[in-house]
Amino acid sequence: MQGPEKTGGMNRQFPAWADNYAEAVAIQNSLRNRVMVQPLDLDSVRWLAAADVSFSKKDPRLYAAVLLFSLPDLQLVEVCDQIAEATFPYIPGLLSFREAPALLPLFDRLSQKPDVILVDGQGMAHPRRFGIASHIGVLLDIPTIGCAKSRLVGTFNAVPAVRGQWTELVEDGEVVGRVLCTRDGVKPIFLSVGHRVDLESATELVLKVTQKYRLPEPIRRAHSWVNAMRKGEQKCR
DNA sequence: GCGACAG
DNA sequence: ATCTTGTCGC
C-alpha cells in the first residue's frame, strides 16, 4: 500500500489546460508568440474589467470574480463571479493554470465586452514572457495589463516613492515591464504588457484608474469582492 | 547543491 | 495567497 502519490504536486484532468509542469510550460511556449505589443488608444476605452481570485489555505475552492467598470467615470457597472474547484496547484510561473480556468467563463457572462482587462499578476514579466495576464489576453483576444504587487522575474533600480515615477524591469537584456509608483509614499507595483497594449499605454491607464490607494481601483475592488465572497459576507458594493 | 519564486 | 494581534501613523 502506498500513501498519497507525490507526483510533483499536480492534480488530475484539466481539459483545455494541463496535467503537469512540462505540459503547462509547453502550452505557454506555444502561445507566447501570439502576444501583441502595441499602443492602446485610451480615449476609446469605455469598458474596463478587473479580475481576481481568492482562496482559503484549507479548502480547494477558488472564489473568482470579474468586475466591469465604465470609463472615464470609473463606476462599477457589473460583476460576474463563481466558486470553482482548484484543479492545479500554485507554482511560480504557472499561476494561470490555477486561476484562469475559474476566470475565463466569467467574461462570457459580461453584458459588455471589455476594451481592456487589468489582471492581478504578471504579463510578459514572466520566465517565458507569458504570465496570467498574457494568457488571458491571448485566449480572449482582448487587451490585458499585468498589475502585480511583487516581482516574479527581472532586476530594477529603486523607484522614488513619488506617484508616476517608474524604472525599467529588465531580464536577459529585455525590458519586460515597469516598476511603477502609483501613489506618493507607497511601494511600487509591477506593471507589464499582457496583450495588445504597450508599456506607455499601460502606465497611463493604470495611473488614471489609481485613485486613493496603491493598487488600481478596479483591482482593489475585485480583490475586495472575492475576499468578501470567501468570507461569506454581504458587504459587496 | 543552493536560493528564488506572481498568487 | 492565507494564517494572525497588536500597533504605529495620518
Side-chain angles (χ1 to χ4, degrees), chain A residues 90 93 149 151:
Chain A
Y90 167 69
K149 295 178 292 299
R151 184 198 73 99

Short mmCIF file of all heavy atoms in Angstrom, two decimals, chain A residues 90 93 149 151, chain B residues 4-7:
data_model
loop_
_atom_site.label_atom_id
_atom_site.label_comp_id
_atom_site.label_asym_id
_atom_site.label_seq_id
_atom_site.Cartn_x
_atom_site.Cartn_y
_atom_site.Cartn_z
N TYR A 90 -0.58 26.02 -7.01
CA TYR A 90 0.13 27.27 -7.33
C TYR A 90 1.60 26.92 -7.48
O TYR A 90 2.23 26.37 -6.58
CB TYR A 90 0.01 28.32 -6.22
CG TYR A 90 1.00 29.44 -6.43
CD1 TYR A 90 0.83 30.31 -7.51
CD2 TYR A 90 2.13 29.57 -5.62
CE1 TYR A 90 1.77 31.30 -7.76
CE2 TYR A 90 3.08 30.56 -5.88
CZ TYR A 90 2.89 31.42 -6.96
OH TYR A 90 3.82 32.39 -7.23
N GLY A 93 5.25 30.82 -11.91
CA GLY A 93 5.44 30.71 -13.35
C GLY A 93 4.26 30.01 -14.03
O GLY A 93 4.13 30.05 -15.25
N LYS A 149 1.78 42.83 -7.43
CA LYS A 149 2.21 43.53 -6.23
C LYS A 149 3.66 43.21 -5.90
O LYS A 149 4.28 43.89 -5.08
CB LYS A 149 1.31 43.12 -5.05
CG LYS A 149 -0.14 43.56 -5.23
CD LYS A 149 -1.03 43.12 -4.09
CE LYS A 149 -1.19 41.62 -4.07
NZ LYS A 149 -1.83 41.12 -5.31
N ARG A 151 7.52 41.11 -7.48
CA ARG A 151 8.30 40.66 -8.62
C ARG A 151 8.35 39.14 -8.81
O ARG A 151 8.41 38.40 -7.83
CB ARG A 151 9.73 41.17 -8.44
CG ARG A 151 10.68 40.89 -9.57
CD ARG A 151 12.12 41.03 -9.10
NE ARG A 151 12.51 39.90 -8.25
CZ ARG A 151 13.21 38.86 -8.69
NH1 ARG A 151 13.60 38.81 -9.93
NH2 ARG A 151 13.51 37.87 -7.88
P DA B 4 17.11 33.67 -1.41
OP1 DA B 4 17.75 34.76 -0.62
OP2 DA B 4 15.91 32.97 -0.91
"O5'" DA B 4 16.79 34.25 -2.84
"C5'" DA B 4 16.79 33.40 -3.98
"C4'" DA B 4 15.92 33.99 -5.05
"O4'" DA B 4 15.70 32.95 -6.03
"C3'" DA B 4 14.53 34.42 -4.58
"O3'" DA B 4 14.05 35.48 -5.40
"C2'" DA B 4 13.71 33.15 -4.76
"C1'" DA B 4 14.35 32.49 -5.98
N9 DA B 4 14.38 31.03 -5.87
C8 DA B 4 14.56 30.28 -4.74
N7 DA B 4 14.52 28.98 -4.94
C5 DA B 4 14.32 28.88 -6.30
C6 DA B 4 14.19 27.77 -7.15
N6 DA B 4 14.24 26.51 -6.75
N1 DA B 4 13.99 28.02 -8.46
C2 DA B 4 13.94 29.29 -8.88
N3 DA B 4 14.04 30.41 -8.18
C4 DA B 4 14.24 30.13 -6.88
P DC B 5 12.73 36.27 -4.94
OP1 DC B 5 12.73 37.57 -5.67
OP2 DC B 5 12.65 36.25 -3.47
"O5'" DC B 5 11.54 35.38 -5.51
"C5'" DC B 5 11.33 35.31 -6.91
"C4'" DC B 5 10.21 34.33 -7.19
"O4'" DC B 5 10.71 32.97 -7.16
"C3'" DC B 5 9.05 34.38 -6.18
"O3'" DC B 5 7.81 34.39 -6.87
"C2'" DC B 5 9.15 33.08 -5.44
"C1'" DC B 5 9.74 32.18 -6.50
N1 DC B 5 10.40 30.94 -6.00
C2 DC B 5 10.59 29.86 -6.87
O2 DC B 5 10.30 30.00 -8.06
N3 DC B 5 11.07 28.69 -6.38
C4 DC B 5 11.37 28.60 -5.08
N4 DC B 5 11.83 27.43 -4.64
C5 DC B 5 11.25 29.71 -4.20
C6 DC B 5 10.75 30.85 -4.71
P DA B 6 6.48 34.91 -6.11
OP1 DA B 6 6.86 35.87 -5.06
OP2 DA B 6 5.79 33.66 -5.76
"O5'" DA B 6 5.59 35.68 -7.16
"C5'" DA B 6 5.79 37.06 -7.39
"C4'" DA B 6 4.58 37.63 -8.07
"O4'" DA B 6 4.40 36.99 -9.36
"C3'" DA B 6 3.27 37.40 -7.31
"O3'" DA B 6 2.42 38.51 -7.55
"C2'" DA B 6 2.71 36.18 -7.98
"C1'" DA B 6 3.10 36.44 -9.41
N9 DA B 6 3.14 35.25 -10.27
C8 DA B 6 3.62 34.01 -9.99
N7 DA B 6 3.52 33.17 -10.98
C5 DA B 6 2.94 33.93 -12.00
C6 DA B 6 2.56 33.62 -13.32
N6 DA B 6 2.73 32.43 -13.88
N1 DA B 6 2.01 34.61 -14.05
C2 DA B 6 1.84 35.82 -13.49
N3 DA B 6 2.16 36.22 -12.25
C4 DA B 6 2.71 35.21 -11.57
P DG B 7 1.45 38.99 -6.46
OP1 DG B 7 0.92 40.29 -6.96
OP2 DG B 7 2.17 38.92 -5.18
"O5'" DG B 7 0.27 37.94 -6.45
"C5'" DG B 7 -0.47 37.72 -7.63
"C4'" DG B 7 -1.37 36.49 -7.47
"O4'" DG B 7 -0.56 35.29 -7.38
"C3'" DG B 7 -2.21 36.53 -6.21
"O3'" DG B 7 -3.59 36.43 -6.50
"C2'" DG B 7 -1.79 35.34 -5.37
"C1'" DG B 7 -0.96 34.47 -6.29
N9 DG B 7 0.24 34.14 -5.57
C8 DG B 7 1.37 34.91 -5.41
N7 DG B 7 2.21 34.40 -4.54
C5 DG B 7 1.61 33.23 -4.10
C6 DG B 7 2.05 32.29 -3.14
O6 DG B 7 3.07 32.31 -2.46
N1 DG B 7 1.12 31.24 -2.99
C2 DG B 7 -0.05 31.13 -3.69
N2 DG B 7 -0.79 30.07 -3.42
N3 DG B 7 -0.46 32.01 -4.60
C4 DG B 7 0.40 33.05 -4.74
#
